[in-house]
Amino acid sequence: MGRKKEKFVPIKRGEVKLYSCGPTVYDFPHIGNLRAYVFVDLLKRVLEYNKLRVKHVMNITDVGHLTSDADTGEDKMEKGARREGKTVWEIAEFYTKDFFDAMDKLNIEKPKTICKATDHIKEMIDMIKQIEKNGFAYKTSDGIYFDTFKLKDYGKLAGLYIEGLKEGARVEPNLEKRNPTDFALWKISPKDQKRQMEWNSPWNIGFPGWHIECSAMSIKYLGEKFDIHTGGVDHVPVHHTNEIAQSQGALKKDVVNYWLHNEHVLVDNKKMSKSLQNFYTLHDIENKNFNPLAFRYLLLTSHYRSKFNFTWESLEAAQKSLNTLREHMILLKSTDNKKTDKKRILEYKKKFLGFINDDLNIPYAVSLTWKLIREESKINNSDKHKIIMDFDKIFGLKLKDVKDVKSKIPKEAEKLINEREEARKKRDWKKADEIRKKLKEMNILIEDTESGVKWRLI
Ligand code: AMP
Ligand code: ZN
């Protein structure tokens, strides 16, 4: 809110209440969306590294997010269901699972509380009633809207100049809206259309507006004052601005102490988005034989508040760096008889803490790790190994799982490679492919070359 770096002071000593806007589960998440959750994961790990207990809540948007942020267009969920000839509930379940799978693959720790919008309709209706009682809502033929001009400081998060927006009112398609920035709290189901998701309410059968779910659920699980709220920067001018309006409307106060937003992933210098059709998913990354953790590594090398232009070349480089890092972890296991200067260890740890606590300067923390690896004297191998394992509590690159498969392939994998050779000789391509998949799950990639079958670590 202050648009500057501020010292973080938790409301309750030793504890952080954190709310993250979750995904809209109508399609596969793209890697831009996933940046938002790697960012939150890093934030949480940094807070925990500082010995703070984190109470983390994330929602799943399974109703009410329309194709246009301006309360027009179709519900993304209903659109997704039609596209696939399934029910909205099936779509929600399928893509929620896919999102959770992506979180696992990227080693993102799951929030303790994950709440679905459709399980909280009552809480949303109660909050809208409160807003209405306090005089901030009005009814139109298609819903209940929030009167944003009734708030003196509407738009303060985004720095919106509300008077200037009156000009825009002339081109507003919804003529019943009093002001261009007004937004729907509850939408009444269209008479000529049967929605799959709709509920009774004091204002007629319908469904909640998109913003009310995050206000209602964050307050339910974290209380009327909590520490941090996160999301992508696209949420600043609309979704989060309207969440602030709603808590002002219902409770006459702000509920969030700090807002943190991640910048976008771009492709060809344009925002990666479903509507522009310029997106990649984690499945695309895996299909090109990259380890999802290579994508995590790539994200570690850019600061969350910087725009990040994605290219396959940069992912290739990240995969190489990750492989090299893992190889170093194996090498560092072999002891040397160097004597460690304990002061030097403390210096590294202090620097690391300084970087991560400076608004999550993870790129610098990564560089520091490489510096430590290259450091010629003063720290012996096993101490280097220990320090990097400690750093990995933040990076989350699963460095403790690294095994020496390069020099010694596991017995099980060796057996599979031989079985695959047999299958290929018998022209049983199906079996050969299945084995290739199994090996890939073990992070081993098979390549058939002229000089025979080769494998490498991914
Ligand atoms: P959605 O599923 O559309 O509700 O978005 C989920 C999260 O991804 C939100 O926090 C968005 O702000 C964020 N987001 C959307 N597009 C991008 C992008 N290209 N780069 C980074 N974050 C994004
Ligand atoms: Zn939200």
Side-chain angles (χ1 to χ4, degrees):
M1 184 77 82
R3 285 188 191 77
K4 61 179 187 322
K5 249 191 286 192
E6 287 173 34
K7 189 176 156 78
F8 172 68
V9 185
I11 295 165
K12 193 171 155 198
R13 240 180 109 183
E15 188 181 278
V16 182
K17 291 182 177 166
L18 168 66
Y19 183 88
S20 304
C21 278
T24 310
V25 286
Y26 69 112
D27 204 341
F28 296 111
H30 60 60
I31 57 174
N33 302 134
L34 293 173
R35 183 187 202 195
Y37 303 104
V38 170
F39 151 60
V40 176
D41 188 55
L42 293 170
L43 173 64
K44 197 162 104 183
R45 285 169 186 259
V46 168
L47 294 167
E48 284 170 346
Y49 195 89
N50 282 278
K51 311 233 168 351
L52 293 160
R53 253 175 305 118
V54 181
K55 210 169 164 197
H56 189 197
V57 178
M58 182 185 73
N59 67 301
I60 299 285
T61 299
D62 55 357
V63 68
H65 192 175
L66 305 188
T67 46
S68 145
D69 274 352
D71 298 318
T72 52
E74 203 178 352
D75 190 318
K76 290 186 181 189
M77 296 301 299
E78 303 256 346
K79 192 175 172 189
R82 225 192 26 249
R83 177 187 71 220
E84 299 186 19
K86 290 185 185 152
T87 69
V88 193
W89 307 98
E90 284 167 335
I91 292 282
E93 196 186 329
F94 180 84
Y95 289 113
T96 302
K97 185 178 175 306
D98 185 80
F99 175 72
F100 289 161
D101 287 349
M103 283 179 103
D104 280 346
K105 287 175 188 165
L106 290 170
N107 200 22
I108 296 172
E109 287 168 9
K110 279 229 186 83
K112 282 194 197 86
T113 306
I114 297 179
C115 39
K116 288 199 282 188
T118 50
D119 287 340
H120 296 80
I121 301 296
K122 184 183 171 306
E123 286 83 348
M124 293 190 234
I125 290 178
D126 287 347
M127 191 163 183
I128 300 169
K129 277 199 219 153
Q130 194 60 40
I131 294 170
E132 196 177 33
K133 203 171 128 213
N134 290 341
F136 287 94
Y138 63 93
K139 198 169 176 206
T140 71
S141 59
D142 78 340
I144 299 295
Y145 283 80
F146 191 105
D147 189 340
T148 53
F149 277 38
K150 289 224 161 132
L151 280 179
K152 269 204 291 304
D153 53 2
Y154 177 80
K156 61 184 170 183
L157 181 70
L160 291 182
Y161 176 50
I162 195 160
E163 287 300 315
L165 281 165
K166 277 184 184 158
E167 263 301 286
R170 287 182 289 115
V171 288
E172 258 301 309
N174 186 344
L175 294 174
E176 289 182 76
K177 263 175 36 172
R178 289 184 192 161
N179 313 297
T181 44
D182 292 358
F183 58 91
L185 295 162
W186 186 265
K187 288 213 76 170
I188 296 164
S189 294
K191 286 198 182 62
D192 54 346
Q193 204 190 91
K194 174 86 187 117
R195 282 177 54 94
Q196 291 188 45
M197 283 176 167
E198 50 187 8
W199 294 266
N200 270 322
S201 80
W203 314 281
N204 224 333
I205 291 174
F207 58 100
W210 172 36
H211 319 298
I212 196 75
E213 66 172 270
C214 286
S215 287
M217 289 191 280
S218 61
I219 291 168
K220 170 168 180 173
Y221 292 104
L222 295 174
E224 289 186 6
K225 194 87 195 162
F226 61 91
D227 295 286
I228 305 178
H229 193 313
T230 69
V233 281
D234 49 312
H235 283 349
V236 175
V238 183
H239 186 49
H240 290 168
T241 286
N242 292 343
E243 273 189 50
I244 291 171
Q246 286 166 160
S247 53
Q248 284 286 350
L251 306 168
K252 309 227 166 113
K253 64 176 187 186
D254 285 338
V255 299
V256 178
N257 256 5
Y258 302 89
W259 292 89
L260 269 73
H261 295 99
N262 64 280
E263 252 298 348
H264 284 144
V265 170
L266 314 176
V267 178
D268 298 329
N269 293 308
K270 280 197 202 80
K271 179 192 168 198
M272 178 177 289
S273 73
K274 295 272 164 52
S275 50
L276 290 176
Q277 289 287 311
N278 63 346
F279 64 91
Y280 302 114
T281 67
L282 201 59
H283 299 292
D284 297 324
I285 283 185
E286 287 185 290
N287 289 340
K288 288 192 186 249
N289 289 324
F290 290 104
N291 184 329
L293 290 177
F295 177 59
R296 184 174 173 111
Y297 182 95
L298 182 60
L299 291 177
L300 299 183
T301 62
S302 73
H303 189 257
Y304 77 91
R305 276 190 297 107
S306 304
K307 290 190 173 66
F308 178 67
N309 195 41
F310 175 81
T311 61
W312 290 104
E313 291 73 29
S314 60
L315 185 60
E316 183 89 49
Q319 177 77 69
K320 278 199 186 122
S321 299
L322 178 62
N323 291 351
T324 314
L325 182 58
R326 290 161 140 194
E327 280 159 22
H328 277 294
M329 292 309 276
I330 293 161
L331 294 174
L332 290 175
K333 272 189 183 160
S334 61
T335 47
D336 54 5
N337 39 26
K338 228 180 257 167
K339 210 169 159 325
T340 296
D341 174 0
K342 292 274 186 267
K343 263 209 324 248
R344 196 88 184 112
I345 296 188
L346 288 180
E347 270 168 35
Y348 268 98
K349 290 206 161 172
K350 201 171 153 212
K351 265 204 181 138
F352 182 79
L353 194 65
F355 289 147
I356 61 171
N357 281 358
D358 182 13
D359 196 20
L360 307 190
N361 196 345
I362 312 292
Y364 274 39
V366 173
S367 301
L368 184 74
T369 309
W370 288 108
K371 185 167 174 249
L372 171 63
I373 288 172
R374 285 189 298 265
E375 160 115 24
E376 300 245 323
S377 58
K378 292 192 178 157
I379 302 182
N380 71 29
N381 281 353
S382 81
D383 283 323
K384 279 188 183 177
H385 191 273
K386 260 193 238 144
I387 302 171
I388 298 173
M389 285 311 303
D390 181 60
F391 291 179
D392 200 41
K393 285 184 195 152
I394 303 292
F395 300 149
L397 295 170
K398 293 193 177 180
L399 295 178
K400 88 171 166 3
D401 297 350
V402 175
K403 290 191 191 73
D404 193 358
V405 283
K406 261 238 144 122
S407 50
K408 215 172 112 233
I409 188 160
K411 279 247 150 25
E412 196 192 340
E414 199 175 80
K415 211 171 123 227
L416 283 172
I417 291 175
N418 291 338
E419 272 177 34
R420 183 171 169 275
E421 275 305 276
E422 284 304 309
R424 274 165 52 81
K425 272 185 205 145
K426 289 187 199 140
R427 302 184 150 267
D428 185 351
W429 308 122
K430 194 165 162 260
K431 186 164 178 198
D433 258 5
E434 278 166 12
I435 297 177
R436 182 201 283 271
K437 264 195 206 137
K438 266 195 211 157
L439 285 163
K440 211 175 132 194
E441 279 160 21
M442 298 166 76
N443 280 342
I444 293 169
L445 186 69
I446 293 293
E447 281 163 309
D448 300 305
T449 67
E450 286 188 3
S451 55
V453 58
K454 284 216 170 105
W455 62 269
R456 69 178 167 92
L457 196 62
I458 49 171

